Amino acid sequence: MQLGSISFDSPLLLAPMSSICTAPYRLLMEELGCGGTVSELVSCHGINYKNEKTHKMLDIHKREKNIGLQLFGEDKEAMAKAAITAQERNPKFIDINMGCPVRKVVSKGGGSALLKDPTVLGDFFSTIKKAIEVPLTIKIRTGWDSDSINAPEVAHIAKEEGVEFVAIHGRTRTQAYKGKADWELLEDVAKEGILPMIGNGDLHTAATTRNRMNNTNCDALMLGRGPLRNPFIFLESYLKEDDDIFFSPQDHLEVIERFKTYMEEYTDRERTILITLRKNIVWMAAGYPGVAQFRNAMFTTPDLDGTMEVACEFFHNLGNMPKRIDHSKDFMAGGHG
Ligand SMILES: Cc1cc2nc3c(=O)[nH]c(=O)nc-3n(C[C@H](O)[C@H](O)[C@H](O)COP(=O)(O)O)c2cc1C
């Protein structure tokens, strides 16, 4: 699958998520059927100040294939400089975060604040684009608020400056994560065919994703929160409705064990591994009975071995129980894009 000059393994991509989409999780998702990934947002200033923690965020696993590194910042020169550094890590593309609604980012002019004044965007894009050899891409929201929907205008400017594709989260900045992603608007923008376009927002189940994939004007789709609770969502989305394939609690446990290995390859900081695993395991347990108790047990174990023991016991005891996630309640209604 091709978006501009960038090739992906399939049109279902993993959305960037801060503190989640580090190399181990991205690799895991690529192996579980997603066509490509984007890193969490990384501060251009942190990169330029040579902050060690920020540079760690640029790590790419040698087996990752279709990975973009996402940068955020308000200053075109600082972004260009950081993009040159990020490019040394050999990503397939560099992505600009233009969707983050968080005050700390927006108040400095980064993230979705970049949507507020499109007149400066041509220069912003071209300065970054000229600095790098890998393709440049953007991820935006539909606009700042419902009175200033300008995704098509931003896409036009991006196209003029040679940006390769646009990913659009179908909400405005003021909406944050409230309400529903506006797919009617996303489909209208995609129909215009300004730039290769990725639609994003609220594709929480395989059925919704499959249905959208079969009927969309978008060139690709991006999933964020869905895969956190269902790591098999990419694989399931490609199945036909009546395909009889079932991912069991045992399969979840295998995914968890593989994720642990990748985390151990990524860092030797046991605390980071522990915190990351616990939170992901609890998300993956969503939809099975006894999750609240399981969560308590997980968070009271002292170490990684204890955490894995509790997880093994929980998933083993479920036998062949099917998963029933309650999608009527909000899940992770906050993030950086
Ligand atoms: C916890 C969390 C962190 C996020 N971090 C980022 C980020 O770093 N960069 C970005 O562009 N979007 C970020 N987002 C937004 C997602 O990429 C996506 O646009 C949004 O969650 C809607 O898609 P979904 O409904 O499939 O989750 C984040 C979302 C969440 C929930």
Side-chain angles (χ1 to χ4, degrees):
M1 197 270 302
Q2 201 72 24
L3 294 181
S5 68
I6 310 169
S7 63
F8 291 99
D9 282 357
S10 83
L12 291 184
L13 312 177
L14 179 69
M17 287 180 285
S18 61
S19 307
I20 296 170
C21 292
T22 54
Y25 188 72
R26 296 189 311 249
L27 176 62
L28 188 73
M29 287 299 117
E30 270 205 273
E31 290 178 348
L32 289 172
C34 94
T37 65
V38 184
S39 73
E40 61 183 321
L41 80 175
V42 187
S43 157
C44 72
H45 300 303
I47 294 174
N48 296 339
Y49 293 145
K50 303 197 175 5
N51 179 295
E52 201 182 315
K53 252 177 137 176
T54 312
H55 276 248
K56 180 77 186 155
M57 293 159 98
L58 299 174
D59 278 6
I60 295 176
H61 193 285
K62 56 183 183 303
R63 288 211 306 281
E64 282 187 90
K65 286 193 295 183
N66 303 302
I67 153 77
L69 290 174
Q70 186 187 71
L71 308 183
F72 79 96
E74 71 301 337
D75 179 80
K76 60 182 183 190
E77 302 295 347
M79 284 289 279
K81 188 169 176 221
I84 294 170
T85 307
Q87 181 179 253
E88 288 165 11
R89 303 301 198 94
N90 287 325
K92 259 199 168 173
F93 57 97
I94 303 275
D95 186 62
I96 306 175
N97 180 311
M98 300 178 65
C100 179
V102 171
R103 189 161 300 140
K104 212 172 120 192
V105 172
V106 168
S107 62
K108 296 197 181 108
S112 56
L114 288 167
L115 298 176
K116 274 183 141 177
D117 182 7
T119 61
V120 300
L121 285 181
D123 196 25
F124 188 76
F125 295 147
S126 76
T127 306
I128 303 166
K129 168 95 185 135
K130 269 188 228 139
I132 54 176
E133 271 127 51
V134 290
L136 183 66
T137 66
I138 58 174
K139 179 161 177 283
I140 67 177
R141 284 183 173 239
T142 51
W144 178 260
D145 59 25
S146 57
D147 294 327
S148 57
I149 299 289
N150 61 0
E153 184 187 358
V154 174
H156 273 293
I157 299 166
K159 182 196 163 81
E160 285 301 305
E161 302 305 335
V163 168
E164 219 72 20
F165 68 68
V166 56
I168 312 181
H169 175 188
R171 289 183 173 85
T172 62
R173 188 269 166 174
T174 45
Q175 256 185 300
Y177 283 79
K178 292 192 287 289
K180 295 247 173 307
D182 187 346
W183 274 97
E184 218 173 276
L185 177 64
L186 290 178
E187 293 296 354
D188 285 348
V189 180
K191 209 186 274 175
E192 284 188 54
I194 306 162
L195 258 186
M197 179 181 145
I198 303 170
N200 165 244
D202 301 343
L203 301 173
H204 296 319
T205 69
T208 319
T209 307
R210 185 186 308 123
N211 195 28
R212 179 62 58 187
M213 200 164 42
N214 291 338
N215 296 296
T216 190
N217 299 311
C218 297
D219 302 283
L221 303 174
M222 207 171 232
L223 281 63
R225 291 165 291 178
L228 298 178
R229 291 194 291 182
N230 178 8
F232 303 105
I233 191 167
F234 294 105
L235 297 174
E236 286 175 358
S237 301
Y238 286 110
L239 298 172
K240 294 199 190 69
E241 244 162 280
D242 47 5
D243 273 344
D244 195 17
I245 294 183
F246 165 68
F247 293 101
S248 69
Q250 273 315 301
D251 295 321
H252 283 73
L253 197 52
E254 269 177 41
V255 167
I256 290 163
E257 271 157 7
R258 193 185 293 194
F259 187 39
K260 175 171 174 279
T261 306
Y262 295 168
M263 279 303 298
E264 286 168 339
E265 284 168 10
Y266 174 68
T267 178
D268 47 18
R269 292 170 64 103
E270 183 162 341
R271 180 124 200 94
T272 307
I273 301 173
L274 183 64
I275 292 170
T276 307
L277 274 177
R278 274 182 184 160
K279 92 180 166 190
N280 279 277
I281 294 171
V282 169
W283 289 331
M284 282 187 213
Y288 290 126
V291 173
Q293 255 174 313
F294 171 55
R295 185 192 294 117
N296 288 342
M298 288 281 285
F299 282 92
T300 46
T301 53
D303 56 19
L304 195 52
D305 288 345
T307 297
M308 290 306 286
E309 257 172 51
V310 173
C312 280
E313 198 187 334
F314 176 78
F315 286 97
H316 273 307
N317 287 345
L318 289 168
N320 261 341
M321 178 95 61
K323 214 173 188 186
R324 306 226 184 282
I325 299 173
D326 179 0
H327 290 285
S328 67
K329 294 198 185 103
D330 273 350
F331 171 63
M332 308 268 290
H336 285 272

